[in-house]
Amino acid sequence: MKIATEEMGRFVQRFVDQLRAAAELTRMRILAACAQGELAVSELAQILGQSQPRVSRHLKILADAGLIASMREGNWTFYRLERNTTRLPAMILDLIDRNDPIIVSDRQRLAAVRERRQAEADAYFSAHAAQWDAIRALHADPGVVERHLLAFVPSGAYGVHLDVGTGTGRILALLAPHVRESIGVDNSRAMLAIARDRAGRSDANIGLRLADMYALPLSDASVDLVTLHLVLHYAEAPEQVVAEAARVLIPGGRLLIVDFAPHDIEELRLRHAHRRLGFSDEQVQTGLTSVQTEMLPGQALTVTIWVADRHEAADMPSDLRRTAAEASI
Ligand SMILES: C[S@@+](CC[C@H](N)C(=O)[O-])C[C@H]1O[C@@H](n2cnc3c(N)ncnc32)[C@H](O)[C@@H]1O
């Protein structure tokens, strides 16, 4: 009984601490911005129109109260809403008027920050479209990775394959002989041009679409297999990309994510537009049933394959989808 009372006391105290931390204009704006995805301090400073040291002080208060989580990656730290906490952040976000002028202008500045980042990435991809396969070979031995990937796609087990961020269409071509239909999605015309050229030279049933990985042009539960091959480390909000990929999977479908394990090669960010320096298992939360994780060490980078299946409706990535949906302030 005493223990229960103590625990209750701790919970109430935590709740009060969180209310105190959130009850300040800038910090409430930070919560609203972080609800839209992970943001670095420099980006939050642009959105809020405040200096980085000032924003950092607010971030520390929010983090100490357990309202936001931080993830350090090389020289950058990203902030997002804490998932394992009270319902307070969700309640606050519910109560904030999305048409409030302060929130509206923060949202506009956040959109501008994202556009700038996307423009940099687009410029990089356009400039490197032709050499992409060669650049890819620098990361890890693609042959080995692809052999392991194939082992998770038994021939004939999956009908429609969707490759998100398909680039030059290499993964589509690899899996095409084992599926009925292949769809590649990418937001770079330059990449798609090369993928189209490759698909045109094969007999496989491959379709390519210019689209954003955050808003796939496919209905819920419409494909059997989704791959995200060396794409997630470019994402502004990886968890939203994963949730969107899981959304289009049918029950029984499979999600295969191939990306780097955490590393500290900052140069990939500076020179190759990587947004994230790899992912830990904990960061790759699909909301599906994790089947297996396989690590393929390379010289400088370890490639990881995360295999997750959607067994039934209850398996939908509810947490992630809720985060993405509720976050639309
Ligand atoms: C490193 S390439 C990987 C290409 C391919 N998956 C492979 O492994 O060969 C990353 C790809 O993600 C695409 N991409 C980046 N941001 C995207 C977005 N928001 N929506 C769709 N594709 C995106 C890029 O255009 C690029 O083709």
Side-chain angles (χ1 to χ4, degrees), residues 3-180:
I3 292 173
T5 314
E6 268 173 22
E7 240 164 51
M8 180 80 85
R10 271 203 297 276
F11 175 83
V12 172
Q13 185 58 52
R14 184 165 181 71
F15 199 65
V16 170
D17 291 345
Q18 292 192 336
L19 282 169
R20 276 210 194 95
E24 198 276 339
L25 180 58
T26 300
R27 295 201 282 275
M28 207 163 275
R29 289 166 69 195
I30 290 175
L31 290 177
C34 285
Q36 315 238 358
E38 294 165 0
L39 290 163
V41 186
S42 58
E43 296 166 339
L44 279 164
Q46 289 173 53
I47 292 163
L48 302 166
Q50 297 184 10
S51 71
Q52 284 198 34
R54 201 164 157 199
V55 173
S56 295
R57 274 198 299 279
H58 286 299
L59 285 169
K60 182 169 182 329
I61 292 170
L62 289 170
D64 286 349
L67 288 171
I68 57 167
S70 64
M71 284 163 305
R72 188 148 184 90
E73 269 191 15
N75 297 340
W76 286 37
T77 303
F78 291 95
Y79 294 87
R80 62 162 163 73
L81 290 188
E82 176 62 65
R83 292 191 192 113
N84 306 317
T85 187
T86 63
R87 284 191 295 126
L88 186 65
M91 287 159 68
I92 290 174
L93 296 170
D94 253 5
L95 292 170
I96 293 177
D97 177 3
R98 54 174 285 121
N99 296 319
D100 181 283
I102 295 176
I103 298 296
V104 169
S105 63
D106 282 359
R107 197 164 58 231
Q108 285 165 348
R109 281 194 292 263
L110 189 143
V113 163
R114 287 204 161 140
E115 264 168 40
R116 257 198 308 280
R117 282 194 215 143
Q118 190 63 54
E120 282 167 21
D122 287 350
Y124 168 80
F125 289 127
S126 298
H128 293 83
Q131 311 102 302
W132 186 251
D133 280 347
I135 290 175
R136 212 155 82 78
L138 298 175
H139 294 162
D141 181 344
V144 172
V145 175
E146 287 166 11
R147 254 200 324 280
H148 282 260
L149 189 65
L150 262 181
F152 296 115
V153 185
S155 212
Y158 300 102
V160 182
H161 167 217
L162 168 70
D163 188 35
V164 179
T166 195
T168 60
R170 193 180 162 114
I171 298 302
L172 283 177
L174 176 78
L175 300 184
H178 307 282
V179 299
R180 194 179 67 244

Side-chain angles (χ1 to χ4, degrees), residues 125 132 136 165-167 186-188 191 211-213 229-230 234:
F125 289 127
W132 186 251
R136 212 155 82 78
T166 195
D186 204 285
N187 72 344
S188 158
M191 285 292 191
D212 194 279
M213 59 189 173
H229 188 274
L230 299 182
Y234 292 105

